[in-house]
Amino acid sequence: MYLEKLEINGFKSFAKKNTLVFPGMLDKDKWGITAIVGPNGSGKSNIADAVRWVLGEQSMKVLRGKKGEDVIFAGSDKKNKLGLAEVSLFLNNESKRAPIDYSEIILTRRLFRNGDSEYLINNSRARLSDIQIMLAKANVGQKTYSVIGQGMVEGFLNTTLSERKEFFDEATGVRQFQIKRDESLNKLRISYENINQANMLLMEIRPRLNSLTKQVSKLKKRDEIKTELKKLQINYYGKIWHNINNQFSQFNNEFLELEKIKFEKEKKNQQLNNEMNKAEQWGSIGQEFNKAQEELGQLQIQKDKITEQIVKLDAQMEIKLESQGKFDLSWLRNKKTDLEKQTQNIYKDMEVIEKNITNEKSKSEGLQNKKQDIDQQINNLNHILLTLSGENGGQNIAKINGKIKNILTKLKELETQEDIKKIKELIAQIKQETIQLLQLSENTDQKHEINKIHQKLAFFAKDKEKITAEINENYLKIFSQTEKNQILFNERKKTEEELEAINQKLKSLDISKHQDVLLLKQGEQREKEKQNLKQQLSEIDTKINEIKIVISNLSAQEEEKRNMLLSLQKKMQLAQNEINEISNKLNALKINSTKYETKLEDLEIEIRRDLGGLKDVKEYYVKKAAEMAETEVELLSVKADRSSTSVSVEDIEKLKRQLDLIGGIDPEIEKEYTETKERYDFLSGQIEDLTKAINSLEKIIKELDAVIKEKFDKEFKIISEKFEEYFKILFNGGKARIIKVLPEDLKSHTDENHGQDENLTANKDNKDSNFFDINKIKFLQKHSSVDLAGIEIQATPLGKKIQSISMLSGGERALTAIALICAIISANPSPFVVLDEVDAALDEANSERFAKIVDDLSHKTQFIVITHNRASMKRANILYGITMGDDGMSKLLSIKLEDAVGS
């Protein structure tokens, strides 16, 4: 980074815009030197002031003025005063030495005569603190060695020890950290003030808040009691209301139901009365009934006569057969008929059984097919199991194969087994053998596969057990049906044999019957007579039945009429009794309903008086009951509350007494409490945030102090060495050194008492642990981060014994100050250095030495030298001349010495 140019407009004597362009790097390791010359009073030093001003200088004393507007051109006899002073400093930042993302930085400061001012970075408004931080990081200082003006060399040695320390803060490059530290201290001070103010407000609020908290607690307690009281009253009155209302509703419902029943009874009684009138109008059936009885008697006499004739014919036939020895013929014929019917029934039963056997056999074939499929699956798995078992090595192979053979043997035995109990035993044994087989196979690689196969085998064995049981059951059914069929077959065979024997007897009897034709003809004649008589008897029976039906119908009609009249009379009497009973009940219900209605009205008046806000008590309790009925959980909860809490008048009166003890509280108390609590919580939150900020700031200050001390000590050592080096050059020998003065050492250099500071080891005072002691800020500001009271300079020229710089001559003091400045520039060079007639007090020889030092240091920094000294002019690459005319304005002339020498 280096200074490219400087634009001055309206600043002090530079009324018009003037631009100074400065050379950059002339070769690889040397910067160009610019010399500014001119007669006294021409305004040369105003250029140094302009640089110092644009870098942010705030002291008007340093700028050689009394007030801010003194830097604005004040006018002359020929030129009016200006209203604006503006200086722009152009810095090349291609090296990015300044922490900003620009290759060129333009710092501008403007001041208007009305007092307004502004800082700009590349034509954008900026804060002075931002500019100072940026310049400090780039090692550009506005107060010390970046711009060294008239009298500063001599004045530096005359400064106090603490003022020299401030100079060294910037010289050692810790200024940027000092600025941050000062900002942090300022923030810390403000935080201390704010937190103490907040604590004071909290102390004022806390007593009132405590009082309000107690009152609000009472208010909340009162509200809780009122809520509980209202809840108890609602439940208490609700229970009573529901009981009375239920009774009232029950009486009303019963009254309505009885009214309906009475109406129906009266309606039914009227119907019975109408039916009675109709029944009484029916005619008599006596004549028709007597006629039917007479006809029935005559037909019965005829039937008896015909029956006697049939009996006589049968008796005559039996006497004939008995006399001929053929009494069994009739019995045999009847027996034959019975056997033929029995044979037919047996045939039918056998046909049904054979059909059932066929169905069961078909079902058995399907089960056998399923069983064969399962057997095939079992055989396949057994084959795989044997293969896997053959692959296993070691001593367990024989045991495993033995177990597998046992399982296969039991599986084959299972296939042929029909006993269910035996099948279950075999399956249990197979499972046991399988478990043992798995235990033997634990150390083989096929354990998992064998385990899966055995699981499948167990599954198929279970299926096989089920199917085998079904097959056995089917077999039992077939066997049972077959046995039954065999029994029927034997019975049929026996019946057929018996039938055949009867046929043979009848045949033999038929042969003998041919031998007695006359007897046969007589039997046939009697049979015909018998059939005729039976035909007559059948006709008579038909007539008798018809007459009986008529008589029965007539009797039924008469009985029905009589029974109907009796029934109607009984029903009418019963209905009237019921109507009378219902009327009595209705009167009683009406009296009770009126009584409970009065109770309900009185209770609702009492509820509205005690609870208040309930316009319609009935609607409230009905709605509440409906809400509880909608949610089962709520209903159960309410039931539980009712069962666990017995609401009584004593409970209600107890809560009322508690309310009387609390007394009345202004409702505005709660509002005031809320506002006060919010204010208290806000302040507490602010204190908490400020405490965190204070802790953070103290940590930052501590860290900055460590950084500043480390960097200061490092750079101080280098400056001290360079100071002795340049002192020996300027004095051709001698001794010089700079010494750190600690606070204890300060007492020996002054009569003032600097030991009165309190030892602030605590962050808070003893009065209130919530308050922070503001004196700590003063302590931190008074005691530097490097723990120094100041800087002492000792210089002993060659051949002298003096050490105090106050004993040096004016020239020696100037050379000593120049040696120190050069040491600082050498150790911690600024991007550019403005020297304003610092060599004015030097003689020619010392001027040459100084010029040579400047030329050597130009390898490290860029110099702008305001001088009258020829030695310095000869070292310059660009020479600017400053003149001032009678108009009071400074004018600028420039020349490149290389071009001038060449011409």
Side-chain angles (χ1 to χ4, degrees), residues 811-858:
E812 289 173 338
R813 290 166 62 86
L815 288 174
T816 302
I818 290 172
L820 181 58
I821 291 170
C822 291
I824 292 171
I825 294 172
S826 177
N828 191 19
S830 175
F832 64 90
V833 176
V834 178
L835 301 176
D836 183 12
E837 298 186 30
V838 297
D839 56 354
L842 301 182
D843 56 18
E844 186 173 355
N846 286 323
S847 295
E848 285 292 341
R849 293 190 188 98
F850 173 70
K852 185 178 183 306
I853 291 174
V854 170
D855 187 60
D856 291 339
L857 290 175
S858 65

Side-chain angles (χ1 to χ4, degrees), residues 338-520:
D338 293 339
L339 290 174
E340 286 176 348
K341 289 181 179 180
Q342 186 176 354
T343 303
Q344 289 176 359
N345 291 334
I346 291 173
Y347 269 107
K348 289 180 180 179
D349 292 341
M350 289 180 68
E351 185 179 353
V352 172
I353 289 172
E354 287 176 355
K355 187 176 182 180
N356 290 338
I357 290 173
T358 302
N359 292 335
E360 292 297 330
K361 286 182 177 179
S362 176
K363 184 178 179 181
S364 179
E365 289 178 0
L367 292 173
Q368 288 292 344
N369 291 334
K370 288 184 179 180
K371 180 173 175 292
Q372 289 176 2
D373 292 339
I374 292 174
D375 290 340
Q376 183 63 38
Q377 294 287 344
I378 290 173
N379 291 333
N380 293 338
L381 290 174
N382 288 334
H383 179 71
I384 296 172
L385 193 60
L386 287 172
T387 303
L388 291 174
S389 299
E391 294 175 358
N392 292 332
Q395 298 178 356
N396 289 333
I397 292 178
K399 293 182 179 180
I400 291 172
N401 290 333
K403 293 293 181 183
I404 292 171
K405 288 179 180 179
N406 291 338
I407 291 171
L408 293 176
T409 301
K410 287 181 172 58
L411 287 171
K412 289 180 179 179
E413 185 179 352
L414 183 64
E415 294 175 11
T416 59
Q417 186 59 245
E418 295 179 359
D419 187 356
I420 301 298
K421 184 177 180 182
K422 186 64 176 177
I423 289 172
K424 291 182 178 180
E425 291 177 356
L426 287 173
I427 290 173
Q429 292 175 8
I430 290 171
K431 290 182 179 179
Q432 185 63 29
E433 294 286 349
T434 303
I435 293 172
Q436 294 176 2
L437 178 61
L438 289 175
Q439 291 175 351
L440 290 173
S441 304
E442 281 184 352
N443 297 325
T444 63
D445 296 335
Q446 293 83 7
K447 176 185 174 182
H448 181 67
E449 189 66 25
I450 291 173
N451 199 8
K452 288 174 62 178
I453 291 173
H454 282 293
Q455 288 178 355
K456 291 181 180 179
L457 282 172
F459 174 77
F460 286 128
K462 187 176 181 181
D463 282 354
K464 186 172 181 179
E465 176 188 358
K466 182 179 178 182
I467 292 173
T468 303
E470 291 178 1
I471 290 172
N472 292 335
E473 184 180 356
N474 183 261
Y475 171 77
L476 291 174
K477 288 181 180 180
I478 294 173
F479 178 78
S480 175
Q481 294 290 331
T482 303
E483 287 294 323
K484 188 175 181 181
N485 193 38
Q486 185 64 37
I487 292 171
L488 290 173
F489 176 78
N490 295 334
E491 186 178 350
R492 185 192 71 182
K493 185 176 179 181
K494 181 180 179 181
T495 305
E496 288 175 350
E497 289 176 354
E498 188 176 353
L499 184 62
E500 181 65 24
I502 291 174
N503 286 332
Q504 291 295 330
K505 288 182 180 181
L506 287 174
K507 188 176 179 182
S508 63
L509 289 175
D510 289 340
I511 293 174
S512 63
K513 199 167 44 172
H514 284 293
Q515 295 175 358
D516 194 353
V517 176
L518 181 62
L519 183 62
L520 181 62

Side-chain angles (χ1 to χ4, degrees), residues 247-248 251-252 588-598:
Q247 290 291 334
F248 175 67
F251 288 136
N252 284 341
L589 287 173
K590 190 171 183 180
I591 294 171
N592 290 328
S593 177
T594 304
K595 181 173 68 173
Y596 277 94
E597 184 178 12
T598 304

Side-chain angles (χ1 to χ4, degrees), residues 109-149:
R109 184 178 182 181
R110 294 174 185 156
L111 177 65
F112 298 90
R113 195 168 288 278
N114 62 3
D116 294 339
S117 65
E118 61 182 1
Y119 293 89
L120 297 96
I121 298 177
N122 289 4
N123 297 320
S124 298
R125 292 180 67 93
R127 299 180 302 173
L128 174 60
S129 60
D130 295 333
I131 294 175
Q132 289 175 336
I133 289 292
M134 182 189 71
L135 293 175
K137 289 181 178 180
N139 209 23
V140 177
Q142 81 275 17
K143 289 186 178 181
T144 52
Y145 67 94
S146 290
V147 181
I148 302 174

Side-chain angles (χ1 to χ4, degrees), residues 310-322:
I310 293 172
V311 170
K312 287 180 179 181
L313 288 175
D314 288 339
Q316 291 173 1
M317 186 63 184
E318 289 178 358
I319 292 169
K320 291 290 184 182
L321 289 172
E322 186 176 356

Side-chain angles (χ1 to χ4, degrees), residues 234-262:
I234 289 173
N235 292 337
Y236 173 73
Y237 286 125
K239 184 177 180 181
I240 298 175
W241 186 90
H242 279 295
N243 289 335
I244 297 175
N245 186 66
N246 290 340
Q247 290 291 334
F248 175 67
S249 299
Q250 183 178 353
F251 288 136
N252 284 341
N253 293 335
E254 290 179 2
F255 185 87
L256 293 174
E257 290 296 326
L258 285 175
E259 281 281 359
K260 292 179 182 178
I261 294 171
K262 182 180 177 183

Side-chain angles (χ1 to χ4, degrees), residues 145-161:
Y145 67 94
S146 290
V147 181
I148 302 174
Q150 297 180 29
M152 186 176 290
V153 174
E154 179 69 20
F156 174 72
L157 297 179
N158 295 329
T159 57
T160 63
L161 300 181

